[in-house]
């Protein structure tokens, strides 16, 4: 069986976004920017199959994302299973949500199993709480914001456009050097993706903001709507020499760029204990669980 898998390109944005929007999703992977910019690191290719969009990781083993859209899901998955078999590989899908697995189980009763992975579960927050930081649970965060404003009186937040890319890029270079990214594969990949978000800021139609102190960039943030009520924060970088800069850019981004948003997805913690503690401290309202689907042993 031939499926015309190919690498995604920026010109695919209308098509890919159209498929993603056909079903409501809050998973951070389900945005065009994420799909396009991580494609080189995960060997991602895409194809249209049975009226649906399919993405596949083609590294040492095949792994499909659950099909996007409202086409013939059963026929689509059957073709993907046949394709995997012809490639001499076991069929598997990654980042499958409970809702998707429920649909899969209704189409193929008892044929598949799923293993959920805590490290890739997304943290989702109420935008209003991140915006106002009101209430006892956010008292510490509110203090950090107030201290930042008092310590750095000459601060400003600016909504990002393509003309701010160079300013943010210089901050990113400094962050990259301070965090020794060239010695860490994951951090280096993350910084490359962040660079490309800046390079393609206008074409991707994402949003963002820059936090300045005394006219110098102290932090920046880039986000992308995944559905009508949810914003995904893809990139957030700050220089820790400015105490409280991460807390401040978090609050300011939501205040200025998420005015019509109910939920903010701040992605997963990748199993990093420090990051997990930080994300939990913001009190997620729910997690987007995701797991790996394989066929049951017969």
């Amino acid at each position: 069986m031939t499926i015309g898998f190919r690498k995604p390109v920026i010109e695919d944005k209308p098509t890919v976004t159209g498929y993603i929007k056909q079903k409501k999703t809050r998973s951070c992977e389900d945005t065009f920017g994420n799909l396009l910019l991580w494609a080189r690191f995960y060997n991602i290719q895409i194809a249209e199959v049975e009226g649906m969009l399919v993405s596949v990781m083609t590294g040492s083993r095949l792994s499909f994302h659950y099909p996007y859209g409202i086409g013939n899901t059963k026929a689509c998955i059957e073709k993907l299973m046949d394709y995997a078999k012809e490639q001499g590989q076991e069929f598997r899908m990654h980042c499958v949500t409970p809702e998707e697995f429920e649909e899969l189980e209704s189409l193929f009763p008892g044929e598949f199993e799923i293993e959920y992975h805590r490290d890739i579960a997304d943290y989702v927050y109420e935008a209003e709480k991140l915006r106002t930081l009101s209430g006892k649970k956010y008292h510490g965060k509110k203090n950090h914001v107030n201290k930042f404003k008092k310590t750095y009186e000459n601060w400003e937040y600016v909504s990002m456009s393509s003309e701010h890319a160079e300013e943010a890029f210089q901050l990113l270079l400094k962050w990259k050097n301070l965090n020794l990214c060239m010695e860490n594969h994951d951090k280096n990949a993350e910084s490359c993706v962040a660079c490309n978000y800046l390079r393609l800021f206008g074409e991707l139609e994402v949003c963002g903001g820059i936090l300045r102190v005394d006219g110098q960039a102290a932090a920046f943030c880039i986000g992308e709507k995944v559905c009508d009520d949810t914003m995904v924060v893809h990139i957030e970088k700050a220089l820790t020499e400015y105490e409280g800069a991460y807390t401040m850019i978090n609050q300011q981004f939501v205040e200025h760029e998420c005015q019509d948003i109910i939920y903010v997805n701040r992605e997963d913690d990748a199993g990093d204990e420090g990051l997990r503690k930080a994300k939990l401290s913001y009190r997620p309202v729910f997690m987007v669980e995701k797991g790996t689907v394989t066929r049951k042993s017969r």
Side-chain angles (χ1 to χ4, degrees):
M1 168 180 288
T2 299
I3 296 179
F5 284 114
R6 59 178 178 79
K7 293 181 180 179
V9 293
I10 189 68
E11 289 78 13
D12 290 317
K13 185 180 186 304
T15 300
V16 172
T17 302
Y19 277 113
I20 291 174
K21 285 185 175 180
Q22 288 179 23
K23 282 187 181 179
K24 191 162 188 173
T25 173
R26 293 194 176 95
S27 178
C28 72
E29 285 83 14
D30 298 341
T31 62
F32 178 69
N34 189 295
L35 175 69
L36 177 71
L37 299 185
W38 283 101
R40 61 175 283 202
F41 298 100
Y42 290 106
N43 299 306
I44 295 173
Q45 297 188 4
I46 60 173
E48 293 177 84
V49 180
E50 294 291 337
M52 308 188 81
L53 180 78
V54 175
S55 72
V56 61
M57 293 193 296
T58 60
S60 58
R61 61 181 178 182
L62 293 178
S63 185
F64 301 95
H65 192 285
Y66 199 83
Y68 295 109
I70 53 174
N72 191 332
T73 306
K74 191 171 191 296
C76 178
I77 291 175
E78 287 173 340
K79 285 191 174 182
L80 297 181
M81 287 192 288
D82 289 341
Y83 180 82
K85 184 177 181 180
E86 290 177 4
Q87 300 300 310
Q89 298 205 30
E90 294 183 8
F91 177 76
R92 60 185 280 125
M93 289 190 286
H94 58 272
C95 294
V96 178
T97 65
E99 294 78 13
E100 290 167 341
F101 187 70
E102 183 179 356
E103 180 182 57
L104 184 66
E105 182 66 15
S106 71
L107 296 172
F108 301 90
E111 190 166 339
F112 294 97
E113 58 187 358
I114 187 168
E115 180 183 0
Y116 291 103
H117 308 292
R118 174 64 177 81
D119 293 355
I120 64 171
D122 294 344
Y123 293 77
V124 181
Y125 308 86
E126 291 183 58
E128 182 63 19
K129 291 184 178 179
L130 296 186
R131 186 181 300 116
T132 63
L133 298 176
S134 59
K136 186 177 180 180
K137 293 179 179 179
Y138 291 94
H139 183 69
K141 306 295 184 187
K142 189 78 173 248
N143 283 345
H144 286 151
V145 168
N146 290 336
K147 184 178 180 180
F148 183 95
K149 292 178 178 179
K150 185 177 180 180
T151 303
Y152 309 105
E153 294 183 0
N154 189 25
W155 71 273
E156 64 175 339
Y157 174 90
V158 180
S159 292
M160 190 183 289
S161 65
S162 297
E163 67 186 44
H164 300 108
E166 181 60 27
E167 181 180 4
F169 180 69
Q170 292 303 319
L171 184 153
L172 180 61
L173 283 180
K174 188 171 183 180
W175 178 90
K176 186 175 179 179
N177 290 331
L178 289 171
N179 286 272
L180 304 175
C181 289
M182 295 307 294
E183 300 176 16
N184 183 301
H185 177 269
D186 291 338
K187 284 187 176 181
N188 187 50
E190 181 189 356
S191 63
C192 288
V193 168
C195 179
N196 284 323
Y197 264 111
L198 293 171
R199 183 174 63 86
L200 297 171
F201 188 89
E203 292 93 326
L204 289 172
E205 299 178 296
V206 291
C207 65
I210 293 182
L211 180 67
R212 295 182 182 134
V213 173
D214 296 326
Q216 299 297 312
F220 75 92
C221 184
I222 294 176
E224 183 176 10
K225 268 189 174 183
V226 66
C227 64
D228 59 344
D229 66 5
T230 304
M231 177 77 75
V232 176
V233 174
H234 289 308
I235 306 295
E236 187 179 78
K237 297 294 173 224
L239 300 178
T240 53
E241 64 190 77
Y242 300 100
E243 187 178 354
Y246 272 109
T247 307
M248 188 67 172
I249 190 63
N250 184 331
Q251 185 273 329
Q252 287 289 301
F253 175 81
V254 177
E255 178 178 328
H256 292 278
E257 315 305 333
C258 302
Q259 295 179 356
D260 61 341
I261 292 297
I262 298 175
Y263 299 111
V264 177
N265 180 329
R266 292 182 56 78
E267 300 194 344
D268 58 63
D269 59 35
D272 182 283
E273 289 300 323
L275 193 54
R276 179 168 299 184
K277 183 178 180 180
K279 288 180 182 284
L280 287 171
S281 73
Y282 274 96
R283 311 287 180 171
V285 65
F286 63 87
M287 308 286 288
V288 178
E289 291 185 277
K290 290 171 282 188
T292 300
V293 165
T294 53
R295 300 181 77 174
K296 288 183 178 179
S297 300
R298 296 182 181 276

